Amino acid sequence: MAKTHLSLSHDPNLKGAPSDFDLPVRDVKPSAGAGFLYALCGKMQTMPSLSSHPIGERIDIDAKGRMHYVS
C-alpha cells in the first residue's frame, strides 16, 4: 500500500497508530511484473518500477565493445 510514512492512516496529521478512521483508497494499480495489486491512498505518488524483463536483457555488446539493442 502506498501511503504516508508518518501514520498508519492516509493523513500525516494523525501521527502513529490512530484509531477509528476511514482509509480512503483513491486507486488500485497492478504491478504486473511482480504479480500483485497495490492501493494508493491520499495524495501519495509512486515511482516507476521495472518490468519482469528489464530492457537491459536485450542489449548486446559486439566484438568492438559497441552496444546494440536486440529486439
Side-chain angles (χ1 to χ4, degrees), residues 35-67:
F36 61 86
L37 301 173
Y38 60 95
L40 292 172
C41 303
K43 296 180 182 178
M44 296 306 299
Q45 295 181 349
T46 60
M47 294 177 61
S49 61
L50 293 175
S51 68
S52 58
H53 297 283
I55 196 78
E57 291 180 355
R58 292 183 271 173
I59 294 176
D60 190 29
I61 300 175
D62 68 16
K64 293 184 179 180
R66 295 178 296 205
M67 292 191 309

Side-chain angles (χ1 to χ4, degrees):
M1 181 170 299
K3 59 167 219 53
T4 176
H5 65 284
L6 299 173
S7 174
L8 288 178
S9 78
H10 71 292
D11 185 350
N13 296 318
L14 299 175
K15 303 288 186 208
S19 60
D20 197 32
F21 66 90
D22 292 324
L23 182 66
V25 175
R26 69 175 169 86
D27 202 359
V28 176
K29 299 276 190 172
S31 183
F36 61 86
L37 301 173
Y38 60 95
L40 292 172
C41 303
K43 296 180 182 178
M44 296 306 299
Q45 295 181 349
T46 60
M47 294 177 61
S49 61
L50 293 175
S51 68
S52 58
H53 297 283
I55 196 78
E57 291 180 355
R58 292 183 271 173
I59 294 176
D60 190 29
I61 300 175
D62 68 16
K64 293 184 179 180
R66 295 178 296 205
M67 292 191 309
H68 299 278
Y69 176 74
V70 180
S71 55

